[in-house]
Short mmCIF file of all heavy atoms in Angstrom, two decimals:
data_model
loop_
_atom_site.label_atom_id
_atom_site.label_comp_id
_atom_site.label_asym_id
_atom_site.label_seq_id
_atom_site.Cartn_x
_atom_site.Cartn_y
_atom_site.Cartn_z
N THR N 84 -36.47 135.65 -82.15
CA THR N 84 -36.77 135.02 -83.44
C THR N 84 -36.03 133.69 -83.56
O THR N 84 -35.47 133.38 -84.61
CB THR N 84 -36.38 135.96 -84.59
OG1 THR N 84 -34.98 136.28 -84.48
CG2 THR N 84 -37.20 137.24 -84.55
N PHE N 85 -36.01 132.95 -82.47
CA PHE N 85 -35.27 131.69 -82.46
C PHE N 85 -35.87 130.68 -83.44
O PHE N 85 -37.09 130.49 -83.48
CB PHE N 85 -35.26 131.10 -81.05
CG PHE N 85 -34.55 129.79 -80.94
CD1 PHE N 85 -33.18 129.73 -80.94
CD2 PHE N 85 -35.29 128.60 -80.88
CE1 PHE N 85 -32.52 128.51 -80.85
CE2 PHE N 85 -34.63 127.38 -80.78
CZ PHE N 85 -33.25 127.34 -80.77
N ASP N 86 -34.98 130.03 -84.20
CA ASP N 86 -35.40 129.05 -85.20
C ASP N 86 -34.46 127.84 -85.10
O ASP N 86 -33.24 127.99 -85.28
CB ASP N 86 -35.35 129.65 -86.59
CG ASP N 86 -35.80 128.68 -87.67
OD1 ASP N 86 -36.38 127.63 -87.32
OD2 ASP N 86 -35.57 128.95 -88.86
N PRO N 87 -34.99 126.66 -84.80
CA PRO N 87 -34.13 125.47 -84.69
C PRO N 87 -33.30 125.21 -85.95
O PRO N 87 -32.15 124.75 -85.86
CB PRO N 87 -35.13 124.33 -84.44
CG PRO N 87 -36.30 125.00 -83.80
CD PRO N 87 -36.39 126.35 -84.47
N LYS N 88 -33.86 125.48 -87.11
CA LYS N 88 -33.10 125.28 -88.35
C LYS N 88 -31.93 126.25 -88.43
O LYS N 88 -30.81 125.86 -88.83
CB LYS N 88 -34.02 125.46 -89.55
CG LYS N 88 -35.10 124.39 -89.67
CD LYS N 88 -35.93 124.59 -90.93
CE LYS N 88 -37.01 123.51 -91.06
NZ LYS N 88 -37.85 123.71 -92.28
N ALA N 89 -32.17 127.51 -88.06
CA ALA N 89 -31.07 128.49 -88.06
C ALA N 89 -30.02 128.11 -87.02
O ALA N 89 -28.83 128.34 -87.24
CB ALA N 89 -31.63 129.88 -87.77
N LEU N 90 -30.46 127.53 -85.90
CA LEU N 90 -29.51 127.09 -84.88
C LEU N 90 -28.55 126.04 -85.45
O LEU N 90 -27.33 126.14 -85.27
CB LEU N 90 -30.29 126.51 -83.69
CG LEU N 90 -29.45 125.82 -82.61
CD1 LEU N 90 -28.52 126.83 -81.92
CD2 LEU N 90 -30.34 125.14 -81.59
N LYS N 91 -29.10 125.04 -86.13
CA LYS N 91 -28.24 123.99 -86.69
C LYS N 91 -27.31 124.54 -87.78
O LYS N 91 -26.12 124.20 -87.84
CB LYS N 91 -29.11 122.87 -87.27
CG LYS N 91 -29.87 122.07 -86.22
CD LYS N 91 -30.67 120.97 -86.88
CE LYS N 91 -31.43 120.15 -85.83
NZ LYS N 91 -32.23 119.05 -86.45
N ALA N 92 -27.88 125.39 -88.63
CA ALA N 92 -27.08 125.93 -89.73
C ALA N 92 -25.94 126.80 -89.20
O ALA N 92 -24.78 126.68 -89.65
CB ALA N 92 -27.97 126.75 -90.66
N ASN N 93 -26.24 127.68 -88.24
CA ASN N 93 -25.19 128.55 -87.69
C ASN N 93 -24.16 127.75 -86.91
O ASN N 93 -22.96 128.05 -86.96
CB ASN N 93 -25.82 129.60 -86.77
CG ASN N 93 -26.59 130.65 -87.54
OD1 ASN N 93 -26.85 130.49 -88.73
ND2 ASN N 93 -26.97 131.73 -86.87
N TYR N 94 -24.61 126.73 -86.21
CA TYR N 94 -23.66 125.91 -85.45
C TYR N 94 -22.70 125.20 -86.39
O TYR N 94 -21.49 125.15 -86.14
CB TYR N 94 -24.41 124.90 -84.59
CG TYR N 94 -23.50 123.86 -84.00
CD1 TYR N 94 -22.55 124.19 -83.04
CD2 TYR N 94 -23.57 122.53 -84.46
CE1 TYR N 94 -21.70 123.22 -82.52
CE2 TYR N 94 -22.72 121.57 -83.95
CZ TYR N 94 -21.79 121.92 -82.98
OH TYR N 94 -20.94 120.97 -82.47
N ARG N 95 -23.22 124.63 -87.45
CA ARG N 95 -22.34 123.93 -88.39
C ARG N 95 -21.32 124.88 -89.01
O ARG N 95 -20.14 124.54 -89.13
CB ARG N 95 -23.19 123.28 -89.49
CG ARG N 95 -23.99 122.08 -89.01
CD ARG N 95 -24.92 121.57 -90.09
NE ARG N 95 -25.73 120.44 -89.63
CZ ARG N 95 -26.71 119.90 -90.32
NH1 ARG N 95 -27.02 120.39 -91.53
NH2 ARG N 95 -27.40 118.87 -89.83
N ALA N 96 -21.78 126.05 -89.40
CA ALA N 96 -20.86 127.01 -90.02
C ALA N 96 -19.79 127.47 -89.05
O ALA N 96 -18.59 127.53 -89.39
CB ALA N 96 -21.65 128.21 -90.53
N LEU N 97 -20.20 127.78 -87.80
CA LEU N 97 -19.23 128.26 -86.81
C LEU N 97 -18.29 127.15 -86.35
O LEU N 97 -17.10 127.40 -86.11
CB LEU N 97 -19.98 128.85 -85.61
CG LEU N 97 -20.73 130.15 -85.85
CD1 LEU N 97 -21.61 130.51 -84.65
CD2 LEU N 97 -19.75 131.28 -86.13
N SER N 98 -18.82 125.93 -86.21
CA SER N 98 -17.96 124.82 -85.78
C SER N 98 -16.90 124.49 -86.83
O SER N 98 -15.77 124.12 -86.50
CB SER N 98 -18.81 123.58 -85.48
OG SER N 98 -19.52 123.16 -86.64
N LEU N 99 -17.26 124.65 -88.10
CA LEU N 99 -16.27 124.45 -89.16
C LEU N 99 -15.23 125.57 -89.16
O LEU N 99 -14.03 125.33 -89.36
CB LEU N 99 -16.96 124.38 -90.51
CG LEU N 99 -17.79 123.12 -90.79
CD1 LEU N 99 -18.52 123.24 -92.12
CD2 LEU N 99 -16.88 121.88 -90.81
N THR N 100 -15.70 126.78 -88.91
CA THR N 100 -14.77 127.93 -88.93
C THR N 100 -13.78 127.87 -87.78
O THR N 100 -12.58 128.15 -87.97
CB THR N 100 -15.57 129.24 -88.88
OG1 THR N 100 -16.47 129.28 -89.99
CG2 THR N 100 -14.63 130.44 -88.92
N PHE N 101 -14.26 127.54 -86.57
CA PHE N 101 -13.42 127.59 -85.39
C PHE N 101 -12.98 126.20 -84.89
O PHE N 101 -12.57 126.07 -83.74
CB PHE N 101 -14.17 128.31 -84.25
CG PHE N 101 -14.47 129.74 -84.54
CD1 PHE N 101 -15.73 130.14 -84.97
CD2 PHE N 101 -13.48 130.71 -84.40
CE1 PHE N 101 -16.00 131.47 -85.24
CE2 PHE N 101 -13.74 132.05 -84.66
CZ PHE N 101 -15.00 132.43 -85.09
N HIS N 102 -13.07 125.20 -85.74
CA HIS N 102 -12.63 123.87 -85.33
C HIS N 102 -11.14 123.89 -85.01
O HIS N 102 -10.35 124.52 -85.73
CB HIS N 102 -12.93 122.85 -86.44
CG HIS N 102 -12.87 121.44 -85.98
ND1 HIS N 102 -11.68 120.75 -85.85
CD2 HIS N 102 -13.86 120.58 -85.60
CE1 HIS N 102 -11.93 119.53 -85.41
NE2 HIS N 102 -13.26 119.39 -85.26
N PRO N 103 -10.72 123.22 -83.94
CA PRO N 103 -9.29 123.24 -83.56
C PRO N 103 -8.35 122.75 -84.65
O PRO N 103 -7.18 123.16 -84.69
CB PRO N 103 -9.25 122.29 -82.34
CG PRO N 103 -10.64 122.33 -81.78
CD PRO N 103 -11.55 122.51 -82.96
N ASP N 104 -8.82 121.85 -85.54
CA ASP N 104 -7.94 121.38 -86.62
C ASP N 104 -7.62 122.49 -87.60
O ASP N 104 -6.53 122.50 -88.22
CB ASP N 104 -8.61 120.22 -87.35
CG ASP N 104 -8.75 118.99 -86.47
OD1 ASP N 104 -8.01 118.92 -85.46
OD2 ASP N 104 -9.60 118.13 -86.76
N LYS N 105 -8.56 123.46 -87.78
CA LYS N 105 -8.34 124.56 -88.69
C LYS N 105 -7.78 125.79 -87.98
O LYS N 105 -6.96 126.51 -88.55
CB LYS N 105 -9.65 124.94 -89.39
CG LYS N 105 -10.18 123.87 -90.34
CD LYS N 105 -11.42 124.36 -91.09
CE LYS N 105 -11.89 123.34 -92.10
NZ LYS N 105 -13.10 123.82 -92.84
N ASN N 106 -8.25 126.03 -86.78
CA ASN N 106 -7.81 127.20 -86.01
C ASN N 106 -7.46 126.76 -84.58
O ASN N 106 -8.30 126.81 -83.68
CB ASN N 106 -8.91 128.26 -85.97
CG ASN N 106 -9.16 128.89 -87.33
OD1 ASN N 106 -8.34 129.64 -87.85
ND2 ASN N 106 -10.31 128.56 -87.91
N PRO N 107 -6.25 126.29 -84.38
CA PRO N 107 -5.86 125.79 -83.05
C PRO N 107 -5.97 126.86 -81.95
O PRO N 107 -6.20 126.53 -80.79
CB PRO N 107 -4.40 125.37 -83.24
CG PRO N 107 -4.27 125.15 -84.71
CD PRO N 107 -5.18 126.14 -85.37
N GLY N 108 -5.85 128.13 -82.30
CA GLY N 108 -5.90 129.18 -81.30
C GLY N 108 -7.28 129.49 -80.78
O GLY N 108 -7.44 130.26 -79.83
N PHE N 109 -8.31 128.92 -81.40
CA PHE N 109 -9.70 129.20 -81.01
C PHE N 109 -10.36 127.98 -80.35
O PHE N 109 -11.57 127.80 -80.47
CB PHE N 109 -10.52 129.62 -82.23
CG PHE N 109 -10.14 130.97 -82.77
CD1 PHE N 109 -9.18 131.09 -83.76
CD2 PHE N 109 -10.75 132.13 -82.28
CE1 PHE N 109 -8.83 132.34 -84.26
CE2 PHE N 109 -10.41 133.37 -82.78
CZ PHE N 109 -9.43 133.48 -83.77
N ASN N 110 -9.56 127.18 -79.68
CA ASN N 110 -10.10 125.97 -79.07
C ASN N 110 -11.16 126.30 -78.01
O ASN N 110 -12.22 125.66 -77.96
CB ASN N 110 -8.97 125.16 -78.44
CG ASN N 110 -9.48 123.83 -77.89
OD1 ASN N 110 -10.01 123.00 -78.62
ND2 ASN N 110 -9.34 123.66 -76.57
N ASP N 111 -10.89 127.32 -77.16
CA ASP N 111 -11.85 127.70 -76.12
C ASP N 111 -13.15 128.21 -76.72
O ASP N 111 -14.25 127.91 -76.21
CB ASP N 111 -11.25 128.77 -75.20
CG ASP N 111 -10.11 128.24 -74.36
OD1 ASP N 111 -10.01 127.01 -74.21
OD2 ASP N 111 -9.31 129.06 -73.86
N HIS N 112 -13.04 128.97 -77.79
CA HIS N 112 -14.25 129.49 -78.43
C HIS N 112 -15.04 128.36 -79.07
O HIS N 112 -16.28 128.38 -79.05
CB HIS N 112 -13.86 130.52 -79.48
CG HIS N 112 -15.03 131.29 -80.03
ND1 HIS N 112 -15.79 132.14 -79.27
CD2 HIS N 112 -15.59 131.31 -81.29
CE1 HIS N 112 -16.76 132.67 -80.00
NE2 HIS N 112 -16.65 132.17 -81.23
N TYR N 113 -14.36 127.37 -79.61
CA TYR N 113 -15.05 126.23 -80.19
C TYR N 113 -15.82 125.46 -79.12
O TYR N 113 -16.96 125.03 -79.35
CB TYR N 113 -14.04 125.31 -80.88
CG TYR N 113 -14.65 124.04 -81.42
CD1 TYR N 113 -15.35 124.05 -82.63
CD2 TYR N 113 -14.55 122.84 -80.70
CE1 TYR N 113 -15.93 122.89 -83.12
CE2 TYR N 113 -15.14 121.68 -81.20
CZ TYR N 113 -15.83 121.71 -82.40
OH TYR N 113 -16.41 120.56 -82.88
N VAL N 114 -15.20 125.29 -77.95
CA VAL N 114 -15.88 124.62 -76.83
C VAL N 114 -17.12 125.40 -76.41
O VAL N 114 -18.18 124.82 -76.12
CB VAL N 114 -14.91 124.44 -75.64
CG1 VAL N 114 -15.66 123.91 -74.42
CG2 VAL N 114 -13.78 123.50 -76.02
#
Side-chain angles (χ1 to χ4, degrees):
T84 58
F85 178 76
D86 181 13
K88 293 183 179 179
L90 171 65
K91 292 182 180 180
N93 288 12
Y94 168 67
R95 289 174 181 172
L97 291 171
S98 60
L99 289 175
T100 302
F101 295 100
H102 196 279
D104 294 340
K105 293 185 176 180
N106 292 290
F109 290 91
N110 185 61
D111 292 341
H112 190 65
Y113 176 79
V114 172

